[in-house]
Amino acid sequence: MDQLTIALAKGRTAKQAIKLLQNADITFPDFHPSSRKLVFRNPENTVKLVFVKSVDVCTYVETGAADIGVVGKDNILEADADIYELLDLRLGKCKFCVAGPKNTPPLERVDQLTVASKYPRVAKQYFLKKGIPIETIKLNGSVELAPIIGMADVIVDIVETGNTIRENGLKIIADIKDISTRLIVNKASFATKTGSIQRIIDQIKSGLECSV
Ligand code: PRP
Ligand code: MG
């Protein structure tokens, strides 16, 4: 039996992701949502689960520090890592949007923009396609603040319920892309541990189909 390391993004979707693994018979009896522990093992000692920052999951998988990663499509697009994306886990559903103050003109009428984002690569790609020159400001959180205090014209960020946008007096200007949590795999691991990885994927898949 191969030893597999799975890197899981800490945060909102972690509990649901653990449940998906549980449905695939990979259990972590020591796991508790309020625990500060970062490494867990299944009773069979075939799988090691490591909790990492969502923005780092692709790095762990690309470098082979983890064989498998569970992470949002937002982080995958921004990381542009050389990995396989093999399964949509249909968790953490949200979307990438452009948002800004309520008086922001339609994008067809702007010549250039300053865009604040945790995802400057995604922002650059989107506005390049639109033919709008932008300057990006990389922030690591509370991005909605940038247009409020005049640091940027608009933001590119993920929107789930829309509460953060609404409560900060902003509006959605354009939808960019739907996002959800994905399962990613290191390329070399997939070649050398194909059977074990495929088995996990198949088990998770059948769990997903049961939950539809
Ligand atoms: C995320 C995201 C948005 C918000 C979207 O921020 O960056 O701000 O959630 O969710 P909503 O549409 O349901 O309000 P997060 O809470 O992760 O904080 P951060 O951006 O400061 O890291
Ligand atoms: Mg935020």
Side-chain angles (χ1 to χ4, degrees), residues 74 91-96 158-161 177-180:
D74 53 327
L91 307 172
K93 287 189 182 170
C94 53
K95 56 184 179 173
F96 262 135
I158 49 177
V159 175
E160 189 183 352
T161 60
K177 195 177 176 37
D178 287 333
I179 301 292
S180 60

Side-chain angles (χ1 to χ4, degrees), residues 118 141-144 157 164:
K118 286 194 270 190
S142 301
V143 179
E144 291 82 0
D157 200 9
T164 316

Side-chain angles (χ1 to χ4, degrees), residues 36-68:
R36 298 290 299 162
K37 225 167 107 102
L38 298 172
V39 183
F40 296 91
R41 287 172 200 276
N42 64 339
E44 298 80 15
N45 208 16
T46 49
V47 180
K48 182 163 77 179
L49 184 75
V50 295
F51 274 110
V52 305
K53 281 279 240 195
S54 55
V55 68
D56 292 331
V57 172
C58 290
T59 308
Y60 278 79
V61 174
E62 187 175 30
T63 58
D67 304 292
I68 295 175

